[in-house]
Amino acid sequence: MIYRRRLVDGMLDEVFPHLAAISLEGAKGVGKTATGQERVKTVVDLSVASQRVTVSGHVEQVARLAPPVLIDEWQLVPSVWDVVKREVDRDASGGRFLLAGSAGVAPGVRVHSGAGRIVSLPMRPLSLAERGICESRVSLRELMTGTRPQIFGESKVELPQYIEEILRSGFPGIRDLPDVAREAQLDSYIARIVERELPESGVGVRRPTTLLAWLRAYGAATATDTAYTNILDAATAGESDKPAASTVLAYRDHLTRIFVLDPIQPWLPVFSPLKRLTRSVKHHLVDPAIAARLATVDSDALFRGEGARIGGGVDTWLGALFESLAAQSVRVYAETARCRVGHLRTKDTKREIDLIVEGQGMRVVAIEVKLSETISDHDVRHLNWLEHQIGDRVADKIVINTGPYAYRRPDGVAVVPLALLGP
């Protein structure tokens, strides 16, 4: 199979020759192994039982393998991390180790910090630009410069194809399967989370049906910051024997640790006149296809607006999933530009901005996501409010939508079809 370069490859090209060890982190199936295998001589796959047993008994041997070395699923033998750290302390020559992990270290297991020795790079499912459905015309990196570049471009991608991209997923090994096979693979992915991934990470799941119900409810809260108590209530509606909140919150923490939950943190700016901002995260799964599959909705149902919703925010289930698809891509582009992504919401809920991309000098690109071909003054009011509040810290203002054209409005807001936005 021909390898499709990812955006993270550009980052690896730039930094791996100069860094001794890099850890690729992300959910199962995002493509970490394939990316790592493209640039190493030796592969140690700890998901293979025989290799795991051998390495566990002779962990120091990984330092003697021919570099560059890929250690896949390193978290299954956590002592590997400490060996790599010591090796970097001994010899910090670039391009020695790539570690790929689909989970953080299991509870109760201690490893030394890799700070200053092992650099972490996140990997997510394929962004829209990486899927190759349309040539991107608008660069997030350029928008971050604050030069307010000219915005232009035409997209042939219409709403039905965006729906298809939501359902096909960004997992490289899943998206190109026929519909029935893809649905079966997504069902299997969800089942493996409960039956294998969490137990391998040291988490016992005593009530699998409750965990699955909670995941469905979490998916129904996509693109909202609704309270976790609301998600639990929705997951256990009509049940008298509800699990303790602490139990469910522990599941939440472990699902985040294996990168299945991918919430967006609140943007809390420093040296800013903005006050009374919410500190709640915005809920997203690692791929909106998982949320859609948990709800067992197809393209026709999404188009009709079907799908249970929990919490406020986006009006329709499809709108929530489209926002999640946009957020997934924006986060990939932001990482290539060394930026972080948050969201903004005031505690009185009067002001909300879906995505805030913050880069060097605390400058931001503020982004709203709208499931619409046309954009009105009402749709951009919060973006213009933010610029009024913090001035030239706003490098640019964007509305991501489903329309055919990219352009800049008279008030300076860039209107960009999702398919035309790129790194």
Side-chain angles (χ1 to χ4, degrees):
M1 182 180 295
I2 298 175
Y3 176 70
R4 178 191 297 177
R5 272 182 66 89
R6 306 288 294 274
L7 291 174
V8 74
D9 280 302
M11 300 176 69
L12 287 169
D13 290 343
E14 184 178 355
V15 302
F16 191 39
H18 309 286
L19 299 176
I22 292 177
S23 176
L24 297 174
E25 300 177 346
K28 270 277 197 228
V30 297
K32 302 181 300 298
T33 302
T35 294
Q37 288 175 337
E38 285 295 301
R39 54 186 73 237
V40 298
K41 288 183 179 179
T42 307
V43 177
V44 178
D45 186 355
L46 297 181
S47 68
V48 177
S50 57
Q51 293 191 37
R52 187 163 63 248
V53 170
T54 300
V55 171
S56 296
H58 307 83
V59 68
E60 297 291 341
Q61 293 299 316
V62 299
R64 298 177 175 86
L65 298 173
V69 181
L70 170 64
I71 306 173
D72 203 7
E73 301 297 353
W74 70 267
Q75 77 282 349
L76 298 178
V77 184
S79 53
V80 164
W81 181 275
D82 292 335
V83 170
V84 171
K85 172 191 168 295
R86 289 196 297 271
E87 273 301 298
V88 175
D89 287 338
R90 185 187 66 80
D91 178 2
S93 302
R96 298 187 63 199
F97 297 98
L98 279 178
L99 295 91
S102 57
V105 179
V109 176
R110 296 189 63 184
V111 296
H112 293 290
S113 169
R117 287 93 160 183
I118 305 174
V119 174
S120 296
L121 289 181
M123 282 191 71
R124 289 187 167 87
L126 294 163
S127 64
L128 262 289
E130 292 172 307
R131 300 181 196 193
I133 65 170
C134 181
E135 183 180 357
S136 57
R137 294 288 187 180
V138 180
S139 165
L140 179 63
R141 186 187 294 268
E142 187 176 11
L143 295 173
M144 292 298 302
T145 65
T147 58
R148 303 286 171 109
Q150 183 181 2
I151 301 296
F152 63 92
E154 181 177 358
S155 168
K156 302 295 185 182
V157 180
E158 297 179 339
L159 182 59
Q161 192 168 358
Y162 285 119
I163 295 175
E164 181 183 1
E165 286 303 320
I166 289 169
L167 297 175
R168 286 182 67 187
S169 96
F171 289 116
I174 292 178
R175 61 177 280 101
D176 293 328
L177 295 172
D179 290 354
V180 174
R182 184 181 66 243
E183 291 174 0
Q185 192 75 296
L186 285 167
D187 288 341
S188 175
Y189 190 95
I190 293 165
R192 281 170 60 91
I193 292 169
V194 178
E195 298 169 5
R196 182 171 175 179
E197 305 305 331
L198 286 177
E200 277 188 352
S201 296
V203 182
V205 180
R206 291 183 297 173
R207 301 172 66 170
T209 56
T210 298
L211 176 55
L212 285 172
W214 188 88
L215 261 178
R216 290 190 183 94
Y218 184 94
T222 291
T224 78
D225 63 354
T226 191
Y228 287 106
T229 52
N230 295 337
I231 296 174
L232 175 58
D233 289 343
T236 57
E239 294 184 17
S240 57
D241 184 21
K242 296 178 184 288
S246 59
T247 299
V248 178
L249 292 180
Y251 287 156
R252 175 204 66 186
D253 293 342
H254 294 309
L255 289 166
T256 303
R257 188 167 57 82
I258 64 173
F259 308 108
V260 172
L261 307 189
D262 198 11
I264 293 178
Q265 299 297 319
W267 180 62
L268 300 170
V270 297
F271 309 119
S272 167
L274 297 177
K275 305 296 182 185
R276 297 187 60 76
L277 299 180
T278 181
R279 294 177 177 269
S280 302
V281 301
K282 203 166 192 179
H283 307 303
H284 290 277
L285 287 160
V286 66
D287 195 297
I290 297 176
R293 191 62 199 149
L294 284 164
T296 63
V297 292
D298 60 15
S299 58
D300 290 340
L302 283 176
F303 189 78
R304 292 193 300 268
E306 295 181 12
R309 301 287 292 120
I310 297 174
V314 186
D315 292 336
T316 67
W317 176 232
L318 176 56
L321 294 182
F322 179 72
E323 181 180 326
S324 193
L325 180 69
Q328 182 187 70
S329 289
V330 167
R331 293 168 94 173
V332 175
Y333 307 152
E335 283 151 10
T336 68
R338 298 181 179 85
C339 299
R340 66 186 184 94
V341 178
H343 78 97
L344 180 152
R345 188 175 186 179
T346 57
K347 290 184 178 179
D348 60 10
T349 72
K350 290 182 178 180
R351 303 290 182 180
E352 180 176 6
I353 297 176
D354 296 323
L355 301 167
I356 301 286
V357 183
E358 184 173 42
Q360 296 295 323
M362 298 184 292
R363 301 190 75 186
V364 303
V365 170
I367 303 175
E368 288 277 24
V369 182
K370 301 294 181 183
L371 186 74
S372 174
E373 291 187 355
T374 59
I375 298 302
S376 68
D377 291 347
H378 182 79
D379 295 326
V380 303
R381 66 194 188 283
H382 298 319
L383 299 177
N384 291 327
W385 163 83
L386 180 64
E387 186 172 43
H388 179 73
Q389 296 297 310
I390 64 174
D392 60 7
R393 280 188 65 180
V394 176
D396 219 323
K397 307 171 289 185
I398 313 176
V399 176
I400 292 174
N401 74 338
T402 59
Y405 301 110
Y407 61 94
R408 195 176 286 280
R409 288 167 44 98
D411 59 7
V413 175
V415 178
V416 184
L418 176 57
L420 294 183
L421 184 64

